[in-house]
């Protein structure tokens, strides 16, 4: 099976130094990959919330003569028809949100066809003791969920889910205790202090592994290894099924890299049974 439109677009943008505005256009194109080859530059500008000249400059930055040349290229590599045999308006708004998340999971499945980045992330996280896990505001639940399960197989997981002036202190404390890597969950809207915390962590010697909604997210310049997982935008508040699943995949990769992970899980199960923690 070939790559889906979003994966092809992702490859097209790789290796190019893009401005923040151009990253915004790229992110918008990836999220609407099936429709982009059929949009005019004005329509794409409106969709991305930028000016039409910005779209033209973006196409030139990618090596094309202008947006028409970029669109011709996208049509050549796109499927013959727009994605989806069922018209979007055949679904109600709640179904559309679910369909959007299904597409996000398809994109993630395509990304994971190459397991090397996730396996490398797993090795980095397993080797860091302690392991700080950062996620603020919308991403706090992703960080908390990861930290909860990670603590069952990793000897020292430190959840960083509150911002403020003490965040840098907690990162410094983790480094002083031997941390070598930091895992960050970064989702829209991106808090400024997340980027500041990652910049501080890298300056302190940490390798930053990031789960973000896009390879062009604001945290990208402060990440050593960024693995994207798109969020759904069909409801009033974003949905994050793909980032959550990617977090569980990273847990699996980290556990695979920890030699005593299975023994720790068995020990936890024995303690839980002795204390009667769970109802069968």
């Amino acid at each position: 099976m070939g790559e889906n439109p979003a994966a092809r677009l992702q490859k097209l943008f790789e290796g190019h130094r893009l401005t923040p505005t151009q990253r915004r256009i790229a992110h918008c194109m990836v999220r609407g990959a099936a429709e982009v080859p059929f949009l005019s530059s004005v329509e794409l500008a409106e969709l991305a919330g930028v000016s039409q000249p910005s779209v033209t400059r973006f196409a030139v930055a990618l090596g094309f003569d202008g947006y028409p040349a970029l669109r011709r290229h996208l049509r050549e590599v796109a499927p013959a028809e727009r994605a989806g045999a069922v018209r979007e308006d055949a679904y109600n708004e709640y179904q559309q949100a679910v369909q959007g998340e299904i597409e996000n999971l398809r994109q993630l499945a395509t990304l994971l066809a190459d397991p090397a980045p996730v396996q490398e992330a797993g090795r980095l996280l397993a080797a860091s003791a302690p392991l700080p896990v950062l996620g603020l505001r919308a991403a706090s639940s992703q960080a908390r969920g990861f930290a909860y399960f990670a603590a069952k197989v990793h000897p020292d997981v430190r959840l960083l889910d509150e911002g403020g002036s003490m965040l840098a202190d907690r990162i410094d404390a983790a480094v002083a205790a031997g941390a070598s890597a930091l895992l960050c969950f970064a989702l829209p809207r991106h808090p400024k202090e997340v980027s500041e915390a990652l910049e501080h962590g890298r300056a302190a010697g940490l390798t930053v592994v990031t789960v973000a909604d896009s390879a062009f997210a604001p945290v990208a310049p402060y990440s050593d290894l960024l693995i994207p997982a798109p969020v759904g935008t069909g409801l009033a508040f974003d949905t994050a099924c793909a980032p959550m699943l990617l977090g569980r995949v990273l847990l699996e990769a980290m556990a695979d890299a920890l030699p005593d992970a299975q023994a720790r899980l068995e020990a936890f199960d024995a303690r839980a049974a002795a204390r009667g923690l769970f109802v069968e």
Side-chain angles (χ1 to χ4, degrees), residues 196-212:
E196 293 172 346
L198 296 188
E199 185 175 23
H200 180 83
R202 291 182 77 190
L206 293 176
T207 299
V208 174
V209 176
T210 301
V211 172

Side-chain angles (χ1 to χ4, degrees), residues 6 33 47 53 73-74 91 114 126 131 135 165 167 170 173 185-186 197 216 225 228 257 263:
L47 191 64
H73 173 77
L74 296 179
Y91 296 115
D114 177 9
L131 172 61
S165 61
L167 181 56
R170 297 176 69 190
F185 288 87
F216 312 102
L225 175 56

Side-chain angles (χ1 to χ4, degrees), residues 131-152 157-163 170 183-187 243-244 247-248 251:
L131 172 61
V133 179
L134 172 64
L136 303 183
R137 294 185 181 267
S140 62
S141 61
Q142 308 300 322
R144 182 172 291 275
F146 181 95
Y148 171 79
F149 290 110
K152 299 184 186 306
V157 179
R158 302 190 182 186
L159 176 64
L160 308 177
D161 63 347
E162 295 183 0
R170 297 176 69 190
L183 173 62
C184 174
F185 288 87
L187 301 177
M244 181 189 70
R248 298 298 188 268
L251 271 170

Side-chain angles (χ1 to χ4, degrees), residues 58-119:
F58 171 72
V60 173
L62 295 179
F64 296 93
D65 292 337
Y67 180 73
L70 171 59
R71 187 170 62 174
R72 282 195 300 272
H73 173 77
L74 296 179
R75 287 180 174 178
E76 288 170 2
V77 300
E81 299 178 352
R82 297 191 185 205
V86 180
R87 287 171 46 195
E88 187 177 271
D89 58 10
Y91 296 115
N92 64 42
E93 61 178 311
Y94 310 125
Q95 291 176 303
Q96 288 176 27
V98 173
Q99 291 296 325
E101 284 289 40
I102 290 172
E103 178 57 30
N104 288 342
L105 292 173
R106 287 197 183 102
Q107 290 184 34
L108 180 59
T110 300
L111 177 75
L112 295 176
D114 177 9
V118 166
Q119 291 170 342

Side-chain angles (χ1 to χ4, degrees), residues 118 121-122 125 146 183 211 227 246-255:
V118 166
L125 302 179
F146 181 95
L183 173 62
V211 172
I227 308 176
L246 179 53
R248 298 298 188 268
V249 170
L250 287 174
L251 271 170
E252 187 80 4
M254 184 184 74

